[in-house]
Amino acid sequence: RRGPPQSPRSPALDAPPRQSPRRPAKEATPRKKAKVEAPPPPAAAPAKKKPPFRAFEERWERRATHKRSAAAEKQLLAKYGGREFRDDDGAYIISTENLEWSAEEGEWTVLAQKKRKKKEEYEGYVVNAQLRRMIARSLPARDVQRIVDDMTEGDEV
């Protein structure tokens, strides 16, 4: 701003602050302390429901079962990981952590563990029509998606 410098004893500095014509001055009132409640304990995360099991060999799956790559393993785990099935020896759960590559066969195998015995070793099952049938049989019909048009030979469900 331009103009004469104001001295510290200027009458403009000694004047009381202006009040807004729209708001009248309020007297200070003591505030009440708000009641703060502890947040509720976190609810257990609902179990993530898997999408319906596709009991057929999908197009991407044909390539993925015979391709040794992290992407192929991830896709196969998304489809088969955590699925349950029954074999002649009992009920099994497929590992959600990893698959095993069979260099001799050149294909992925799922690692399954007996359902009741958590300390038991994993058994390998080849990703094929037989595995898909075993998984489909162990699920309720509403959780299994079947198609007839694109089935390859040996994929009867």
Side-chain angles (χ1 to χ4, degrees), residues 46-89:
K48 204 175 194 182
K49 185 167 166 79
K50 283 202 163 266
F53 179 71
R54 295 176 160 213
F56 54 90
E57 184 178 54
E58 299 176 62
R59 286 186 187 147
W60 62 265
E61 197 174 352
R62 289 182 185 141
R63 290 184 303 275
T65 53
H66 299 288
K67 182 178 181 185
R68 186 176 187 178
S69 71
E73 182 179 17
K74 185 177 178 181
Q75 284 181 308
L76 290 167
L77 276 174
K79 180 172 181 174
Y80 294 101
R83 297 285 184 180
E84 298 178 15
F85 67 92
R86 292 196 58 81
D87 190 2
D88 296 336
D89 300 332

Side-chain angles (χ1 to χ4, degrees), residues 123-141:
E123 291 186 34
Y125 286 84
V126 175
V127 176
N128 60 14
Q130 183 180 1
L131 176 65
R132 286 187 288 276
R133 276 194 300 273
M134 288 190 294
I135 294 171
R137 285 184 193 138
S138 68
L139 294 171

Side-chain angles (χ1 to χ4, degrees), residues 103-114:
E104 298 159 2
E105 304 296 325
E107 60 190 1
W108 287 104
T109 57
V110 297
L111 299 174
Q113 188 177 43
K114 277 212 174 180

